Amino acid sequence: MSDAEHIDEPDADESLADRVRSHVSENRGGMLYDLAFAVVWVTAVSLLYDFAFSSSPQWVLYMFMLAGIPAYFGFFMSLEMAKSGQ
């Protein structure tokens, strides 16, 4: 999860590409972690659904995908707690 302490107000002469570039450069690590978690979660759920739960209805796949939301927040909150405990 990213820190939202510093919020940039867009300048009048700043283009959309400049704002996107600025945002990505400030949040590069967080965006990379989010993308990695999403790719790993979707891959794991797809493999589970295709092989372990192959005879299950499709709503099981959707429930596994939705479980990724609390899993994401739980993982990163526990990671922050572990880092602050050191």
Side-chain angles (χ1 to χ4, degrees), residues 20-66:
V20 169
R21 191 176 302 116
S22 171
H23 179 75
V24 170
S25 67
E26 290 174 1
N27 299 305
R28 183 171 298 169
M31 293 172 76
L32 183 63
Y33 299 148
D34 294 347
L35 178 65
F37 184 87
V39 168
V40 168
W41 185 264
V42 169
T43 302
V45 167
S46 297
L47 290 174
L48 275 173
Y49 182 73
D50 288 343
F51 296 110
F53 301 104
S54 58
S55 61
S56 299
Q58 191 156 10
W59 62 265
V60 173
L61 172 67
Y62 298 142
M63 296 306 284
F64 275 134
M65 290 293 181
L66 281 175

Side-chain angles (χ1 to χ4, degrees), residues 3-19:
D3 295 330
E5 293 173 7
H6 179 69
I7 299 175
D8 270 343
E9 293 297 324
D11 296 333
D13 58 343
E14 190 176 33
S15 70
L16 177 63
D18 291 335
R19 286 187 289 188

